[in-house]
Amino acid sequence: MYPKNGSSFTGFILLGFSDRPQLERVLFVVLLILYLLTLLGNTTIIVLSHLDPHLQTPMYFFLSNLSFLDLCYMTSTVPQLLVHLRGADKSISFGGCVAQMFVSLGLASTECLLLGVMAFDRYAAVCRPLHYTVIMHPRLCVLMASASWFIGFANSSLQMGLIFLVPLCGRNKIDHFFCEVTLLLKLACVDTTENENELFSVSVIILLIPVTLITFSYGHIVREVLRIKSATGQRKLFGTCGSYLTVVSLFYGTGIYIYLQPNSNYSQDQGKFISLFYTIITPMANPFMYTLGNKDVTGAMRKVFCQDYDSR
């Protein structure tokens, strides 16, 4: 990703929603509120999972990982987007664009894998309860979480390496609100079919393998839940599974739409609005959908905050 013929090049212009100035004002307020809610919700999960001994389990270990990941993921795009929505200057430096691509792609890839690992954890808890502590040993939990982060950023490093081999033609306008690999390929001076095919192949692996693991795990979970004679137990497990699958559907559904559909069917305007879901809505929804409504978490919140209040 370098300027052709040694031409000067300083950065990119992120067009974002500049063709809809009225929408920009509304988006600024909405996204600011969602960002603050995301900071509050995910920070609460991280703090509680470290302070309350009852939440120091494999499930909450992965959830705190996911919360930290979502905080980083949203922070890699939203603050810059808020600045652009408030001002006329939509520019981003070359280094800033590269850093944003590397971080956001690495975090998105990591989340894909981590959600698959979390599905396996729920499968072990529901379908293998007697062996759960043996299967989900703390070392294995750390290994699976570490592997998700490593593979996610290895994929990002690979994509960045391929992008840097592509020469630019001096065009610097990106019709999006953040830097993305697929959009930078459109600015290239050469045929990028091989790069696009490689990106598609990796996206299939990163997206579909976790989806397959999730489908397998929750297929067995549903079968196990249907065997429970207690209606209360069924409602509790279906409620937990339903919340998780809602978040997963939002994240993977939008990711598959963006990365796995043919370019001929891709609408850039639709892509921008759908990108808001997996960059903003999903990180905000994660703690509120299936964590903060959990009795263990609400109990931990009362215990931690009431102790702080009583100590005063």
Side-chain angles (χ1 to χ4, degrees), residues 152-210:
F153 278 91
N155 172 51
S156 183
S157 300
L158 173 63
Q159 300 301 332
M160 291 299 98
L162 293 173
I163 282 291
F164 271 105
L165 298 176
V166 176
L168 298 176
C169 293
R171 293 178 292 173
N172 68 340
K173 291 184 178 180
I174 300 176
D175 190 12
H176 213 297
F177 60 86
F178 71 102
C179 292
E180 207 171 40
V181 174
T182 53
L183 297 173
L184 258 71
L185 288 176
K186 295 180 180 179
L187 304 181
C189 303
V190 296
D191 181 20
T192 59
T193 303
E194 290 187 7
N195 300 73
E196 292 171 2
N197 290 339
E198 186 275 337
L199 177 62
F200 180 84
S201 300
V202 174
S203 299
V204 168
I205 295 171
I206 294 293
L207 284 166
L208 294 189
I209 287 182

Side-chain angles (χ1 to χ4, degrees), residues 31-312:
L31 295 181
L32 179 60
I33 293 172
L34 292 179
Y35 183 53
L36 293 176
L37 286 174
T38 302
L39 292 177
L40 175 64
N42 286 294
T43 302
T44 300
I45 297 307
I46 295 171
V47 171
L48 290 178
S49 64
H50 283 81
L51 292 180
D52 194 305
H54 294 96
L55 299 186
Q56 292 173 5
T57 64
M59 175 182 174
Y60 291 101
F61 168 75
F62 291 123
L63 283 175
S64 61
N65 261 268
L66 183 63
S67 293
F68 176 71
L69 189 154
D70 283 337
L71 282 176
C72 297
Y73 186 41
M74 205 169 180
T75 302
S76 70
T77 57
V78 174
Q80 165 254 307
L81 173 57
L82 291 173
V83 171
H84 286 184
L85 289 173
R86 286 289 292 168
D89 184 13
K90 312 289 185 184
S91 63
I92 183 172
S93 67
F94 179 82
C97 187
V98 171
Q100 188 180 70
M101 274 195 304
F102 175 75
V103 173
S104 60
L105 180 58
L107 292 170
S109 302
T110 300
E111 182 155 353
C112 285
L113 299 168
L114 194 58
L115 288 172
V117 170
M118 290 170 65
F120 175 74
D121 170 67
R122 291 299 83 208
Y123 161 78
V126 176
C127 302
R128 298 288 185 271
L130 298 178
H131 302 92
Y132 178 66
T133 55
V134 177
I135 296 173
M136 301 305 296
H137 190 275
R139 288 184 181 176
L140 179 62
C141 294
V142 172
L143 179 62
M144 290 193 293
S146 301
S148 299
W149 284 89
F150 176 79
I151 295 172
F153 278 91
N155 172 51
S156 183
S157 300
L158 173 63
Q159 300 301 332
M160 291 299 98
L162 293 173
I163 282 291
F164 271 105
L165 298 176
V166 176
L168 298 176
C169 293
R171 293 178 292 173
N172 68 340
K173 291 184 178 180
I174 300 176
D175 190 12
H176 213 297
F177 60 86
F178 71 102
C179 292
E180 207 171 40
V181 174
T182 53
L183 297 173
L184 258 71
L185 288 176
K186 295 180 180 179
L187 304 181
C189 303
V190 296
D191 181 20
T192 59
T193 303
E194 290 187 7
N195 300 73
E196 292 171 2
N197 290 339
E198 186 275 337
L199 177 62
F200 180 84
S201 300
V202 174
S203 299
V204 168
I205 295 171
I206 294 293
L207 284 166
L208 294 189
I209 287 182
V211 167
T212 302
L213 179 59
I214 291 168
T215 303
F216 169 83
S217 298
Y218 275 87
H220 282 274
I221 289 172
V222 169
R223 188 177 65 181
E224 197 69 27
V225 170
L226 292 176
R227 293 178 181 173
I228 299 175
K229 295 180 181 180
S230 168
T232 304
Q234 285 187 349
R235 282 196 301 270
K236 181 179 178 181
L237 283 173
F238 272 128
T240 303
C241 296
S243 299
Y244 174 82
L245 290 175
T246 300
V247 174
V248 165
S249 299
L250 277 174
F251 183 79
Y252 286 107
T254 52
I256 288 170
Y257 176 88
I258 295 295
Y259 290 103
L260 298 189
Q261 72 163 321
N263 288 333
S264 58
N265 298 333
Y266 185 78
S267 166
Q268 189 58 47
D269 283 338
Q270 286 182 351
K272 281 188 282 189
F273 285 102
I274 288 175
S275 294
L276 289 174
F277 276 89
Y278 69 83
T279 57
I280 296 165
I281 303 299
T282 303
M284 185 274 297
N286 277 340
F288 294 98
M289 285 293 290
Y290 60 88
T291 308
L292 293 181
N294 187 292
K295 290 182 179 179
D296 293 335
V297 177
T298 54
M301 289 177 66
R302 284 195 297 268
K303 186 188 303 181
V304 170
F305 295 123
C306 286
Q307 281 181 351
D308 290 342
Y309 181 78
D310 293 339
S311 63
R312 295 176 185 177

Side-chain angles (χ1 to χ4, degrees), residues 6-26:
S7 58
S8 60
F9 186 82
T10 57
F12 299 95
I13 305 295
L14 295 173
L15 298 178
F17 304 96
S18 55
D19 57 335
R20 299 178 176 88
Q22 299 287 339
L23 179 63
E24 284 192 324
R25 298 189 188 98
V26 176

